[in-house]
Every structure is written in C-alpha cells, then in structure tokens.
Amino acid sequence: GGSGKQSLTRFAAYVSEMKCFQVELTKGYGIGEFREDLKKLFFMTGCDGDPVVFLFADTQIVVESFVEDINNILNSGEVPNIFANDEWEKILRDVRPHCKAAGIAETKDNIKAHFVHRVRENLHIVLAMSPVGSAFRVRCRMFPSLINCCTTDWYDKWPAEALQSVSHQFFSPLELGEHRDTILPGLCDMASAIHSSVGAMAERFYAEQKRRFYVTPKSFLELIALYLGALDEKRAEMDVGISRLSIGTKKLNETNEMVQNMQEELAALQPELEKKSAETNVLIEQVTKDSQAAAEKKAKVAVEEAAVKKTAEEVQAQADEAQADLDAAMPALAAAVDALKSLNKNDITEIKGFKSPPPLVMKVMEAVCILLGAKPDWDSAKKVLGDTQFLQKLMDYDKDNIAPAAIKKILAYYDDPEFQPEVVAKVSKAATSLCMWVRAMKVYDEVAKVVEPKRQALASSTAMLEAEKAKLKKVQDELSAVIANVEQLQKTCDEAVAEKQRLEEAADTTSKRLVRAGKLTGGLADEGVRWTATVGELNIERVNLIGNVFLSAAFIAYLGFFTAPYRKLLVDDWIEQCREMQIPTSDSYSLVRSMGEPVKIREWNIWGLPVDEYSTENGILATKGKRWPLAIDPQGQANKWIRAMEQRNSSRSVKGNDATILRTLENAIRMGTPVVLEDVGEELDPSLEPVLQKQIFKQGGRSLIRVGDSDVDYNEAFRFYMTTKLPNPHYLPEVCIKVTLINFTVTLEGLEDQLLGLVVREERPDLERTKNDLVVSLAADKKQLQELEDKILRLLSASEGNILDDEVLIDTLSDSKVTSGVIQGRVKEAEETEAQINETRLGYKPAATRGSILYFTIADLGNIGEMYQFSLDYFNELFLVCIQKSDKSPELDARLSNIMEYASLTIYNNVSRGLFGEHKITFSFMMATAIMRQRGDISDVEWALFLMGAGIVDEATLPARPAHAEPDQWTLICTISQRVEALHEFARSYGASPAEWQALTDAEQPWGALLPATFAGLSSWHRLLVMKCFRPEKLIECVGEFIAVEMGRAYIEQLPLDLHVVFPDAQPHTPLVFVLSAGADPMSTIIRYATDVDYLKRMHAISLGQGQGPIAAQLIKDACASGDWIVLQNCHLYVSWMITLERLVEEMDPKKVHKNFRLWLTSYPSPHFPVLILQNGVKMTNEPPKGLRANMIQSYLADPISDPEFFDRCQKQPQWRRMLFGLCFLHAWLQERRKYGPLGWNIPYEFN
C-alpha cells in the first residue's frame, strides 16, 4: 500500500482510453453484492463492448470467495452460474447482432461463447496486492491463476533519486531566501534521507520491540504536503506576530519621541496664550459698550416702528372697509360683464331688428340710452345699438363717474318690478344682459358714493404713512450701521476668542497627550523592550522556519508509531544532517516548541493528556496531521483525553463493531461534530475508506463525501478519531497510509506524574486539591494574558493617526495593561505556590516511581502471552488500595517504605496468580531488576551483558585465554572485566588463580558457594553475572536465589490458588477469568468455593459452543438483576461470540448490577479473547502444580482431604497421616516424572 499501484493503474487506463471500474464497498457488502458488480462489468465489456480496466485491491477482499471469482475470470473469462436465465436472455439479445456482424452462426452456444470472448477481449484486470503478511502468499497457493494468468509487477521502494526528484518538483516554488542555492538541494536530500532513515529505524524497531511499522511513498508525499501547508501557515502566523510587535514597538518609540516635542510646544504656547487673552478682554469690553448703545438706539426705533405699524394698521382697515363695500357690488358687475361678453353681433342685430320692440326691451334700451347720454327713445336706441363699439363701450363704461341726473332717471326703471333679468329673459336674451348691466351700474353707483369719502380718507392716511415710513427708514439705516459696527467688533472678538480657545485646546490636548503618553509609555515600557527583543528573535525564527517546519512535518508524517527513545534518535540525527546541509534550524529544536501552543497544551493537560513531552507530541500529532489519527491506546489515556477535549463539540463515540457506525458518521459529517471510533482492530472496515481518504468532491457548489451508498454534505468542523486497545497491533501498509498512527502507550514519566497525584491525593488531599485548582487557574490566567497581549498589539497595529488622540484606545490599553499586571502578579504568585506544592509533592515521588516501575513491568508481560494484559485503570485501583491498606507512619520515609513494600508484594500476588508457573519467576526477576535499575544498582551495560552476553568481540584484543577456560566463557569474563567496575579484576583473577574459582565450578548449589576473598563482598547482582559465566546451566536457580535476596522469599514461592482470597478483589461488573493449560479444569475449584459460601444453587454453568451464545447472553442479563453467578466455560471455542461478550461486559453499569452477581470465565490462551475483559478482569491460571512440594500441597488441598471432618474421621491418626503422606508423595513423584518426556514415561500418562 502507498506505493502508487492504484494511481498508476488509473493513469494507464486514462492514457489507454479505457474506463476504470472499481467495486464500491458499503456496510454489509458481501458475495451477493460483489457478483452484482461483476455482472455490471460483464455487461459493459461483453454486451456494450467497452474496454474496461477492473482495478481490484486486496483491501476490498471482504470474503475470500471474491478471490475465487477473480481466479475463475482470469482462468476462463467467466464466473460459473453467475447469470440467471432472464439475464442470459438479455445477453443473448444484446450479443446476437455482434455475432451476426462477425459472421458467427447465431446459435445459443455460439452467442454465449462470443459473449465470453468479448469479455476476455475488453476486460483488463489489475490486482493491487500487498506482499506484506501471509495473505498474499496463501492466496497465490490457493488460486494458481493469480500467478499463471497474471503478469507480476513488483513495486519496489522508491530510490533516492526518485525521492529527490519528487521533492525538488514541490520545493522549487518555495521562497527560501538568499541562500536558496544551498537550501533547496539540502531540503531535497534531507527529504530523501528522512524517508530512508525512518525505513531503517522501522526495521530496528521491529527487531528490538517486535512492533511492525511500514514506510511507503505515501508517507513521503504526506511529508511534502504537510511541509508546504505548515510552512505557509507558520510564516503567515509569524508575519502577523512580527508586524504587530513591530508596529507596537514603533508606536511606543514614536510616542517617546513626541513627548519632548510636546513639552516644548506646551512651554511656547503659554506666553502667546496670555497675550491673546489680554487682547480678547479689551475687545470684549468695546463690544459690550457698543452693544449697549446699539440696544438703546434699537429701543427708540422699536417705539417708532410700533407707531408706524399702528398707522399702517389703521390705513389698512380703511382700505379693507372700502374694499368690502366695493366687493358687495362686484358680483353683480362681474355678472353683467360676463353677460355682455356672451353677446355677439347676432344678438344686437336681433334687438335692432324690432320695428316695434316689446315694452320690456324698450324699457331696457331706454335705461341704456340714459346711461350712455342719449335720448330714451327707440331711434336713439337703434343708433346706439348700431355703434360697432357698443359692447366695448358698455364694458369700458366709467362707472365711477355716472351723472347724478342719469342715476335719478334710472331709479324709475330699477324699481320697476318687471325690470328684472329673469323677467326680461323671457322676452330677449340680449335685453337680459343689458338689463343686468343697467342694474349693476345703478348698484355700483350707490356703493361708489359711500366708498368715495373713504377713498379720500385712505389716500390722506396713505400719504401720512409713507412719510412715517421714510422717517422710520432713516432711523433704521442708522441702527443698521450701528449693528454692523457691533457685529464687526463681535466677529473680531469671536475670532480672538476662537484663537484663544484654540490655543487653550492645543495646550489642553498637549497636556492630555502628555498624560496619555505617560500612561502608554509607562504602562507598556517594559513590554516595548520585550517586544523589541521578541521581534529580533522572531525574525531569526522566521528564517529557521524552513528547517523547523520541515522537521515537524517529518515528525508528524513518520514518527507517530515510534516510542520516545526512537523518536529522539531519529530527530537528533535529522537535526545533525540539517546542520551539515546548511538548512536553517533552531539550536534547541523540538516538535512541542515548533508546533505547540502553550495555552492549548495546558488545556490538553487539564482534559487528561499526561504532562510529559512524549504525550504532548502525541497531542500535536493527533491535531496537526493531515490524516485522521489512530491512537494505539492500551491504557485508554488517549480515549479519555479526546473525549474530554471534544465534549464541548458534542462528540459521539462508537465501537469498531457497531452496526450503526455509518449512520453515526453520516450525521456527524453533516453536523460537523467529532466521532471517536473505539476498539479498532488490526483491519479497518472497508466502508470507512472514503472518510479515511477524505474523498470530498464538489457538486453544485456543495462539498460532498460518499458514506456507504449516500452522498453527505461535508462540514469542515467534522473530526474523526480512532483508538485501539491492542498493545502491539500489526497494521499493514494499506492501513498505515490511510491514518496517522500514534503510539499513545503511557510513558514512565507520564505515569509517574499520575501516580504521584494518586499518592498525594490520598496522603495530602488538601495539597492535591490546591495543586489541581492551581493548574486550572494558571491555565485560565495564562490564556487571558495571551489574549490581553494579543488585544494590546491588535489595537496598537490597527490604530490610525496620532495614537495619543484616541482616549478610548489609550484607556483600553491602560486597563488591559493593568489587568495584565494583576494577572501576571497572580500568575507569578500561583507559580511560586505551585513550585512549593511540587516541592512538597516530590517528597512522595519514590512511591509514585515504584508504582510506575511496577506497571511497566506488568505491561511488558503482554510480550510473553496475549492473556497477560492489565489495564492502567485496574492497576491504579490496585495501587490505590495498596496506599490505603499499607501501614501508616508519621515519618514520611517510613510511610513511603511501607507503601512501596506493600504495593510491590500485593501487586505481585495479584498479577502472578494470573500467570503460568513458568512465567512467575520471570515476572519476579523483571520486578527485582527494574527496581534495581531505577535505583542505579544495575547499569544499562550490565543489564545488556546479562541478557545478551558479550556480543561480537574481537578476540585479538582480549588477554590470552588460559587453557582451563572455554572460549565463550573467557570472552564473557573479559568483557565483564572491561565494562563492569566492580568486576574489573575478574579476568585477571580467574586467569591467574583458577583454583580459587574451583569451588564455585563444582558446587551443587553454586549461589551459596564461596568466592575468592577479593570478590567476597560482591552485590547479589554482580554475583549473578559471575554465575552466568561459570554456571549458566544453574542460572534459573540462581535467579530465584537472587530474587529471594533482593525482594524476599515471598516473590519466588508459588502459593496455591485460594478463591477465598481472590473473590473479594472482584467487583460485580468485573469478570473472574481462569486461564487454562493442558490438563487443568477449574470447575471443581469453583464448585467447591460456591459450596463453601452456600451459593452453589445460584450458580449456572454453560459450556460455550455453536448456538450457545444467545442462551449465555440471556443468562448474564438475568443474573445481573438476580445476583446469581454465571460460569462460561471454554470461551476460546466460541471466537465469533467474544465480541458480544465484550459488549455485554462493557455495558454493565456498576450502579445497576446486583452486588452479588459474578461472571466466571474459563479459556485457553487465545488471541481472540476480549482485550477489555483481560485488562480489567481478575485473572487466575489453572494448571497442574510443578514440583514435588507444590504437587503435594495441591493434593492436601483437594477434596475430600481438605475437609477437616473427613481428615479427622479416622481413628488411627498417626498411621492415617503417614499413609496419606506416602500416597501424596507417590502421586507427586509420578507427576514430576512427566517433565522428563520419554525418559520419565514412554507415554505421557495423565495421573490426576
């Protein structure tokens, strides 16, 4: 995986203009779905005739029958019996035309054969297989066509030239500064060197730790992608920081320069301000005086204005009265004029045409003649009517000057009842208009007589008013001149006042600026110095980003799987190579300093991430990698941390075997919530492939990802974490390239800190509570400090113009600095308190160190057998019980000694009862040496000598070998003499005086043999090294004696299993697990114990096997409620049900399970036994005793001998006891002969 097989296949298909077909795995994808996909493939190639590449990877092999079908296609071009009859009908119908075109007879068999021929012609199969592991080898053996019918194309490791070429292609566009010509080739060479070095280290890692990890070109490409992205991101981040700090420093420097200028400016302003104040005061006095004169003048003018106004009002009243009278006559006059206007020539002709006019017409014409000064007869009337200007004369008639005589004559007509327009209208329209005009003239004349005197009075008043106005205007002009003068003075005064005010404001502004400058420079003076220094450091760091980010990208891409020592070896080597290649790198590079954020790391610690650097690196790997993280987490630390960290984001947790995992992922991807996939195995569900590969595509502006058989909107906030409890999983390259593998196995330092907290919490709860509160408050305060500094720098960099004029900004900066100062004081005080607390806590460190050593010794047992797994939670609970039950003492040293001794023995007893006899002494020895190595009693060199011997040594450099010494023995003796200070005389002594060592060589029990006087005072460990040289065949016996000396006899004596002791350690939700060996059956032990505690009737036993799963599950559920005991025998025989058993145990709620419920399990060692149960259950081994003593003890403890009533029932006790001893001894002797194989018994009899 990760070498480009699939990518190049797709590329080749594209170049060859062929479709590339792949199966799409979904949850529950099986042989039925696979064959449906094959049918589609056959239809495309056989019916449609499309050339298709079928790309099939070994990761898509859900069941092995897939490969069988592929084998058939390779062999014959078809899969037997894949098509139903109706599908064959479709094939026959579609292929018949092609047969006809090819000239083939259209029989059914011919068409089918031609279909298969077309499939073979158009179908090109590419199998992308990984040679890692045994799967490919087994498949090749089972399906010969994979070899016979395929061309094998091996994809080897990329050579250094390829790695350099690819990296050069990507690194060329980078901005690398003035030394680009040196740095660019260095980066390319370094990328290749890193890839190669990790591959070599992976081999070493496997050789030393038996942990397998694969390095592929995909990792190399991720290194490049990570580097390019992280470099841009870090540069942008650092540029913002440098810019803000530079601007902040610049603003502070500018302010300091402005302060001196402002002080000089303020001093210069004072005399000018005093002079301007005096001039302004004079002007104000003059303006005040002139304003008073103007006011007096204005008052006089106001009186005259009032008089004129009154006269004007009276004149206006007269005019209004006359006008009102006139207005009374106007309607009639207007009506008459309108009537006249309506007359035309025909109307006049009509009247003239009367030879003898009607009386009313005659009256009207007479009245008109009178008004026009003509005779009132018809002849005169006709003459008047005959005047072409007749109507115009009537309209222009001088109505204001009608002769009184004419009015007098008219009265006779006016008062005539028939002389009304309505009456006249009945006779003549033209006469009606003239009648109206006559009456209007009469009315107007009456009004004019009344109005005329008023007009005359009005004319007189108007003349008087005009005179008054002229007089008033003269006075007003004089007043205007005075006011203009005052206004001019006022303007001058205002200008002077404004100038004075400007000067005052300038002085005030300068004063305020000085005050603000004091606030700014005084408050941030120390920050300015620090910022200046920081800018310089950041500029250097920016250059070093080229190397630092490159190393960080390599760390993230490659080193997650490695443990701390191996990471350090690689990183130290890379740093050295970077310096040799002149790639800019920090002197004290570390991933935490380069990519970590202190505030965030403190939050991680609060959320449960251990405080050691290794765990912090893992936190960065989990959050910075481009691929989703998969944490190897046997102790569950990563799971707890991730859950706590993502709790605020509503994270979801699912198990690796949950049926609803795809639905959970769909919802989480859509909503942008994190998902934690727990208990992942060594193989990942193929349906997770799109999520793991982040196969996001755009459609209609939406980001989508295919999950299962549906497309889901992809939310960028989505996060996916995976954890496994497998302590040493073997992930194939296909998995390694899809995830970021992170080894979250707890470290010695991390666990030591946790156990120290446990000890202190129990011994000094007040101290631990204060410590925890301090950690939280310190994290919050430091976060707030960082936010405040960011705020100050942001405000400074965003400010425009003169910063001293922005009072709000200065106050905000000042307040922020004050708050920052308070917090800094609080942080300093808290750090001092924390240091004091840590110093006090460190007094309890020896107990925590001992606990940490014990745990790692226990954890190493997993390398011996898969059943020897213990969870950190289980260990922590056990260690806590040890603290609580160990002897108290007022003296700290005595108390610590009590805890360590009690914890060592208690943990040994608890763990060793779950080990087979052959491994118990190994465990004791591991414990003893681990404690001594921590104390410094055993050096690393001595430990290596004991484990591996002298190794490869140039014998030519050694002293001459004495004749009595064996070659290998002499080499080891000389090597020990050279490397172990306490034994530096060893070789010389043995070479010169072999007789002194003869007693040791000949002794039956060499451990107690006397050594030469020079070596009489050797420590037990150095004595053991001597035993390795002289008596290697007795080494195991000597190891036992060594353990007895260092730890005590209790650590080598194998006590028989006693359920009365074991049972109290189990909780209702904690299973009791019997690990079986050949010939062992714990059922009798369980039944005897159940009988002793009167629980036999409530115990239900079931032997697991096919079909027993549902029955067992129901029994467990019922017993959880009732409090019965359930015994599940032979769990190793029902592998497929173990997942269900694990889920049942995990779902047990300690608060709901009956307090008397217990679950007993028996199983032979099996890799399929649930890890969760192994890690948290109470484990016991059940094996035949070894050794005469152990055999006899077991016989005495067996039923019915162990029953006091049976034992004491015999009347002849002395004889009975001797006979019983003889029988038990004989039985033990018979059993022990079996260990010698055919020398003991020709057939391994089962004496039980």
Side-chain angles (χ1 to χ4, degrees):
S3 54
K5 297 187 291 291
Q6 296 188 48
S7 300
L8 283 176
T9 300
R10 293 190 190 95
F11 179 63
Y14 174 76
V15 171
S16 304
E17 298 182 349
M18 300 174 76
K19 294 179 182 177
C20 187
F21 180 86
Q22 276 188 287
V23 298
E24 201 171 273
L25 297 181
T26 57
K27 195 72 175 176
Y29 189 92
I31 188 64
E33 290 76 14
F34 180 66
R35 290 198 164 181
E36 287 300 319
D37 282 333
L38 288 182
K39 288 177 186 178
K40 292 179 190 173
L41 190 62
F42 288 147
F43 287 139
M44 290 165 64
T45 53
C47 296
D48 301 336
D50 295 333
V52 176
V53 172
F54 178 33
L55 174 56
F56 188 68
D58 52 2
T59 55
Q60 296 170 324
I61 302 173
V62 180
V63 289
E64 287 301 314
S65 54
F66 288 10
V67 191
E68 185 178 352
D69 286 349
I70 296 290
N71 183 71
N72 287 327
I73 297 173
L74 290 170
N75 201 28
S76 62
E78 60 180 331
V79 177
N81 303 318
I82 189 173
F83 293 114
N85 289 332
D86 58 330
E87 290 168 331
W88 270 119
E89 290 299 325
K90 178 183 183 306
I91 292 169
L92 293 172
R93 188 173 60 252
D94 291 346
V95 178
R96 180 172 276 110
H98 300 293
C99 285
K100 187 175 181 179
I104 298 170
E106 298 173 32
T107 65
K108 195 171 185 178
D109 290 340
N110 285 348
I111 294 173
K112 286 184 178 181
H114 190 61
F115 171 73
V116 173
H117 173 74
R118 283 170 62 84
V119 169
R120 296 179 70 167
E121 287 294 317
N122 291 315
L123 179 59
H124 190 79
I125 297 177
V126 177
L127 303 176
M129 299 287 185
S130 172
V132 176
S134 61
F136 180 60
R137 184 172 65 252
V138 171
R139 286 167 186 153
C140 287
R141 194 165 61 244
M142 291 178 63
F143 306 109
S145 293
L146 296 180
I147 299 296
N148 301 335
C149 301
C150 291
T151 301
T152 305
D153 186 5
W154 285 93
Y155 278 64
D156 294 324
K157 293 179 180 177
W158 285 12
E161 295 81 3
L163 297 170
Q164 291 166 3
S165 173
V166 170
S167 56
H168 189 276
Q169 181 72 24
F170 284 102
F171 293 160
S172 293
L174 287 177
E175 183 267 304
L176 298 173
E178 56 185 9
H179 301 296
R180 175 185 177 83
D181 294 341
T182 306
I183 294 172
L184 181 58
L187 281 176
C188 297
D189 293 344
M190 193 66 208
S192 173
I194 283 174
H195 187 77
S196 303
S197 66
V198 175
M201 186 60 76
E203 294 298 327
R204 176 179 168 185
F205 193 49
Y206 177 70
E208 295 177 2
Q209 302 292 329
K210 293 294 178 282
R211 289 177 173 271
R212 179 64 81 183
F213 176 62
Y214 299 98
V215 181
T216 67
K218 183 72 177 285
S219 307
F220 181 73
L221 295 175
E222 192 200 2
L223 155 66
I224 293 172
L226 269 170
Y227 178 54
L228 297 176
L231 184 62
D232 287 344
E233 183 183 328
K234 282 301 219 181
R235 276 179 171 174
E237 182 184 313
M238 196 166 279
D239 287 344
V240 170
I242 291 172
S243 173
R244 284 183 175 178
L245 288 168
S246 300
I247 291 172
T249 308
K250 181 183 175 186
K251 297 270 184 182
L252 291 178
N253 292 337
E254 287 175 354
T255 304
N256 287 327
E257 291 173 5
M258 289 165 60
V259 168
Q260 183 62 36
N261 295 335
M262 287 190 293
Q263 288 174 340
E264 293 173 1
E265 184 181 329
L266 189 62
L269 277 174
Q270 289 302 325
E272 188 178 349
L273 184 60
E274 291 172 4
K275 177 185 174 186
K276 189 57 70 178
S277 294
E279 292 175 355
T280 304
N281 290 336
V282 171
L283 276 171
I284 289 172
E285 288 177 9
Q286 184 63 42
V287 168
T288 304
K289 183 178 177 184
D290 288 352
S291 295
Q292 288 176 352
E296 293 173 0
K297 188 79 171 174
K298 193 173 182 180
K300 290 180 182 178
V301 171
V303 172
E304 292 186 14
E305 276 183 344
V308 171
K309 185 178 179 183
K310 185 178 179 183
T311 303
E313 287 173 354
E314 291 172 353
V315 170
Q316 188 62 41
Q318 290 176 356
D320 291 344
E321 185 181 349
Q323 188 63 41
D325 292 341
L326 281 172
D327 289 345
M330 292 313 289
L333 182 62
V337 170
D338 289 341
L340 291 174
K341 285 180 179 178
S342 65
L343 294 177
N344 54 32
K345 187 176 180 183
N346 293 332
D347 294 329
I348 300 301
T349 305
E350 177 196 334
I351 297 174
K352 283 169 58 180
F354 288 123
K355 291 181 181 179
S356 177
L360 279 177
V361 173
M362 189 62 207
K363 283 183 180 180
V364 170
M365 288 308 301
E366 287 176 357
V368 170
C369 289
I370 290 169
L371 286 172
L372 292 176
K375 289 182 180 180
D377 54 29
W378 179 241
D379 292 334
S380 299
K382 285 201 287 187
K383 288 179 182 177
V384 169
L385 288 169
D387 190 348
T388 57
Q389 297 297 318
F390 171 67
L391 291 175
Q392 192 61 41
K393 283 182 180 180
L394 293 182
M395 289 180 189
D396 296 340
Y397 187 74
D398 187 8
K399 52 189 176 294
D400 291 321
N401 296 304
I402 303 173
I407 289 299
K408 188 176 179 183
K409 291 177 181 176
I410 287 299
L411 280 173
Y413 297 99
Y414 186 83
D415 295 335
D416 187 345
E418 291 184 347
F419 197 77
Q420 296 294 336
E422 304 84 43
V423 178
V424 176
K426 296 175 182 178
V427 178
S428 169
K429 174 190 171 187
T432 303
S433 298
L434 293 174
C435 174
M436 289 170 67
W437 181 78
V438 171
R439 291 183 66 82
M441 291 302 107
K442 191 286 179 179
V443 170
Y444 186 84
D445 183 69
E446 286 180 358
V447 173
K449 287 179 179 175
V450 176
V451 170
E452 186 57 31
K454 294 180 181 178
R455 278 186 174 172
Q456 291 176 0
L458 178 61
S460 174
S461 298
T462 301
M464 184 174 67
L465 179 61
E466 289 301 323
E468 289 296 324
K469 281 184 177 179
K471 182 179 174 185
L472 177 62
K473 186 175 183 310
K474 182 180 177 184
V475 177
Q476 284 176 335
D477 290 343
E478 292 174 0
L479 178 61
S480 296
V482 173
I483 289 172
N485 186 43
V486 172
E487 286 177 350
Q488 184 59 40
L489 280 173
Q490 186 66 50
K491 182 179 178 184
T492 307
C493 181
D494 289 345
E495 289 173 355
V497 169
E499 180 64 15
K500 176 188 172 186
Q501 191 173 352
R502 186 186 65 77
L503 292 172
E504 287 175 345
E505 286 175 355
D508 183 56
T509 300
T510 305
S511 300
K512 286 179 179 176
R513 282 179 178 174
L514 284 169
V515 172
R516 292 172 194 151
K519 280 185 182 180
L520 187 63
T521 55
L524 299 177
D526 53 338
E527 298 289 346
V529 175
R530 186 170 64 81
W531 291 347
T532 304
T534 305
V535 168
E537 292 170 6
L538 287 178
N539 282 321
I540 296 171
E541 280 300 307
R542 193 186 187 283
V543 176
N544 290 339
L545 280 179
I546 295 170
N548 290 348
V549 173
F550 186 71
L551 292 175
S552 300
F555 198 116
I556 295 169
Y558 288 107
L559 300 191
F561 190 79
F562 293 97
T563 52
Y566 294 89
R567 289 182 183 179
K568 187 174 188 307
L569 284 171
L570 281 167
V571 171
D572 289 348
D573 181 46
W574 295 348
I575 292 172
E576 190 59 37
Q577 288 187 59
C578 280
R579 287 176 183 152
E580 290 173 5
M581 296 178 186
Q582 299 180 22
I583 298 172
T585 312
S586 297
D587 294 334
S588 56
Y589 166 81
S590 80
L591 179 72
V592 176
R593 276 191 290 272
S594 177
M595 303 297 281
E597 300 170 35
V599 172
K600 188 169 284 186
I601 290 169
R602 273 191 170 267
E603 287 182 341
W604 289 350
N605 297 148
I606 292 169
W607 289 327
L609 187 72
V611 296
D612 58 292
E613 185 167 4
Y614 178 75
S615 299
T616 305
E617 289 172 355
N618 286 342
I620 293 170
L621 290 170
T623 53
K624 297 286 186 183
K626 281 192 171 293
R627 297 175 288 192
W628 298 126
L630 196 168
I632 300 166
D633 186 33
Q635 292 87 21
Q637 304 249 82
N639 200 298
K640 289 179 184 175
W641 167 62
I642 292 168
R643 281 187 169 197
M645 177 174 65
E646 296 292 2
Q647 187 177 12
R648 57 186 176 175
N649 298 323
S650 307
S651 64
R652 296 286 306 277
S653 296
V654 288
K655 296 290 181 186
N657 52 18
D658 276 2
T660 60
I661 181 172
L662 287 184
R663 189 159 61 250
T664 302
L665 274 173
E666 281 183 31
N667 294 332
I669 290 170
R670 193 177 286 112
M671 302 300 293
T673 54
V675 172
V676 184
L677 180 60
E678 302 172 349
D679 298 343
V680 172
E682 290 189 342
E683 295 179 358
L684 298 178
D685 190 331
S687 60
L688 296 176
E689 181 91 1
V691 180
L692 296 176
Q693 300 275 37
K694 298 185 181 178
Q695 293 173 354
I696 303 163
F697 58 93
K698 292 282 186 182
Q699 190 177 82
R702 295 159 60 199
S703 295
L704 298 172
I705 189 169
R706 190 162 187 81
V707 180
D709 52 2
S710 59
D711 294 334
V712 181
D713 285 295
Y714 188 84
N715 190 318
E716 291 295 336
F718 169 71
R719 292 288 176 271
F720 189 39
Y721 303 90
M722 291 159 283
T723 64
T724 179
K725 287 185 177 176
L726 299 175
N728 185 14
H730 179 191
Y731 288 113
L732 296 177
E734 287 70 26
V735 176
C736 294
I737 64 172
K738 295 171 189 171
V739 298
T740 300
L741 284 173
I742 306 173
N743 193 336
F744 257 99
T745 305
V746 68
T747 63
L748 189 69
E749 297 81 3
L751 181 58
E752 195 174 275
D753 185 74
Q754 292 179 55
L755 294 179
L756 181 60
L758 198 68
V759 175
V760 176
R761 186 161 60 246
E762 200 60 33
E763 297 293 304
R764 290 284 305 275
D766 57 321
L767 207 65
E768 192 62 13
R769 193 163 49 248
T770 307
K771 157 82 174 171
N772 292 336
D773 292 344
L774 270 177
V775 168
V776 175
S777 65
L778 260 175
D781 283 347
K782 288 198 170 182
K783 183 178 181 181
Q784 193 176 354
L785 265 179
Q786 184 65 50
E787 289 171 351
L788 282 170
E789 181 171 343
D790 289 345
K791 180 182 178 183
I792 289 170
L793 288 169
R794 189 178 66 253
L795 290 171
L796 281 173
S797 61
S799 64
E800 297 177 356
N802 192 330
I803 190 173
L804 298 177
D805 291 337
D806 194 338
E807 188 173 2
V808 175
L809 173 61
I810 297 294
D811 289 343
T812 305
L813 290 174
S814 179
D815 293 346
S816 298
K817 181 56 187 171
V818 170
T819 308
S820 175
V822 171
I823 294 173
Q824 278 179 335
R826 202 161 65 213
V827 166
K828 187 177 179 183
E829 184 181 338
E831 285 176 341
E832 290 172 358
T833 308
E834 187 179 34
Q836 293 169 3
I837 290 173
N838 287 339
E839 190 175 345
T840 308
R841 289 173 87 244
L842 285 176
Y844 295 90
K845 189 176 180 183
T849 304
R850 174 63 62 87
S852 185
I853 290 168
L854 293 175
Y855 175 76
F856 278 96
T857 305
I858 294 169
D860 286 340
L861 292 173
N863 297 324
I864 299 174
E866 61 263 340
M867 303 299 276
Y868 299 161
Q869 297 193 41
F870 300 84
S871 74
L872 184 58
D873 290 339
Y874 173 82
F875 178 82
N876 284 342
E877 288 178 15
L878 191 57
F879 192 67
L880 180 61
V881 170
C882 294
I883 297 169
Q884 293 167 343
K885 290 187 176 180
S886 56
D887 294 337
K888 308 294 184 210
S889 174
E891 294 294 328
L892 180 60
D893 290 343
R895 173 66 177 139
L896 291 174
S897 179
N898 293 342
I899 291 174
M900 290 189 287
E901 289 177 10
Y902 187 87
S904 298
L905 185 57
T906 304
I907 290 171
Y908 169 76
N909 289 332
N910 271 271
V911 173
S912 65
R913 70 188 175 208
L915 305 179
F916 290 120
E918 61 185 328
H919 299 142
K920 288 180 181 178
I921 193 167
T922 305
F923 177 47
S924 304
F925 183 62
M926 288 167 63
M927 275 184 64
T929 53
I931 292 168
M932 292 178 72
R933 289 175 68 195
Q934 186 273 328
R935 284 200 307 250
D937 295 343
I938 301 175
S939 69
D940 291 341
V941 171
E942 293 169 357
W943 182 241
L945 281 169
F946 181 81
L947 292 182
M948 296 178 285
I952 299 172
V953 178
D954 184 1
E955 295 185 9
T957 62
L958 301 178
R961 178 171 62 85
H964 55 267
E966 295 292 331
D968 289 345
Q969 180 191 33
W970 180 247
T971 301
L972 181 58
I973 289 171
C974 291
T975 306
I976 289 175
S977 298
Q978 292 170 359
R979 299 181 185 178
V980 180
E981 181 63 30
L983 292 168
H984 71 282
E985 293 291 323
F986 187 19
R988 188 191 61 76
S989 172
Y990 181 60
S993 310
E996 294 183 0
W997 297 91
Q998 194 62 40
L1000 173 62
T1001 306
D1002 298 339
E1004 180 66 27
Q1005 295 181 330
W1007 184 262
L1010 290 174
L1011 298 179
T1014 312
F1015 300 96
L1018 282 180
S1019 68
S1020 59
W1021 170 251
H1022 292 133
R1023 178 178 283 265
L1024 193 61
L1025 285 177
V1026 171
M1027 296 301 142
K1028 182 177 175 67
C1029 295
F1030 287 102
R1031 303 298 296 275
E1033 81 283 0
K1034 291 281 188 178
L1035 191 59
I1036 293 177
E1037 179 185 319
C1038 293
V1039 163
E1041 294 299 327
F1042 164 76
I1043 295 166
V1045 171
E1046 290 296 332
M1047 302 290 289
R1049 283 276 162 196
Y1051 290 87
I1052 57 173
E1053 292 180 350
Q1054 297 185 13
L1055 299 175
L1057 180 65
D1058 186 355
L1059 286 181
H1060 291 277
V1061 176
V1062 175
F1063 189 82
D1065 292 340
Q1067 301 296 323
H1069 60 283
T1070 308
L1072 295 102
V1073 183
F1074 280 95
V1075 184
L1076 307 179
S1077 62
D1081 182 11
M1083 202 60 206
S1084 59
T1085 308
I1086 299 172
I1087 291 171
R1088 185 167 62 248
Y1089 177 70
T1091 305
D1092 290 346
V1093 297
D1094 195 23
Y1095 225 80
L1096 186 60
K1097 292 180 180 178
R1098 298 185 64 182
M1099 186 178 79
H1100 312 280
I1102 183 171
S1103 184
L1104 290 181
Q1106 196 65 36
Q1108 297 298 309
I1111 300 170
Q1114 192 58 48
L1115 279 173
I1116 292 171
K1117 290 177 181 175
D1118 295 341
C1120 282
S1122 64
D1124 289 356
W1125 291 359
I1126 303 298
V1127 182
L1128 302 182
Q1129 297 175 272
N1130 301 322
C1131 293
H1132 60 283
L1133 298 178
Y1134 203 179
V1135 172
S1136 61
W1137 192 70
M1138 289 298 97
I1139 294 172
T1140 306
L1141 175 62
E1142 182 178 26
R1143 191 179 70 251
L1144 288 170
V1145 172
E1146 189 175 17
E1147 290 174 354
M1148 288 181 186
D1149 188 346
K1151 297 177 182 177
K1152 295 180 180 178
V1153 175
H1154 195 286
K1155 65 179 182 178
N1156 294 328
F1157 167 76
R1158 292 295 186 276
L1159 177 62
W1160 305 76
L1161 306 172
T1162 73
S1163 174
Y1164 279 89
S1166 168
H1168 303 289
F1169 196 87
V1171 174
L1172 175 75
I1173 298 175
L1174 282 177
Q1175 289 187 340
N1176 297 290
V1178 176
K1179 291 188 287 296
M1180 300 156 282
T1181 50
N1182 192 262
E1183 58 182 338
K1186 294 180 181 177
L1188 284 171
R1189 182 172 181 271
N1191 259 295
M1192 292 182 69
I1193 289 173
Q1194 188 186 46
S1195 296
Y1196 272 94
L1197 291 173
D1199 283 333
I1201 302 171
S1202 62
D1203 185 355
E1205 184 181 344
F1206 173 83
F1207 189 82
D1208 298 331
R1209 192 166 58 194
C1210 184
Q1211 301 300 317
K1212 299 180 180 181
Q1213 279 293 315
Q1215 294 89 335
W1216 154 247
R1217 294 190 181 197
R1218 280 197 294 273
M1219 286 176 63
L1220 179 62
F1221 179 84
L1223 178 64
C1224 290
F1225 186 86
L1226 175 65
H1227 177 67
W1229 177 76
L1230 292 172
Q1231 291 275 51
E1232 282 300 294
R1233 280 185 68 92
R1234 291 187 308 169
K1235 77 164 79 170
Y1236 299 105
L1239 295 177
W1241 301 103
N1242 61 336
I1243 296 173
Y1245 293 103
E1246 184 62 43
F1247 296 106
N1248 54 37

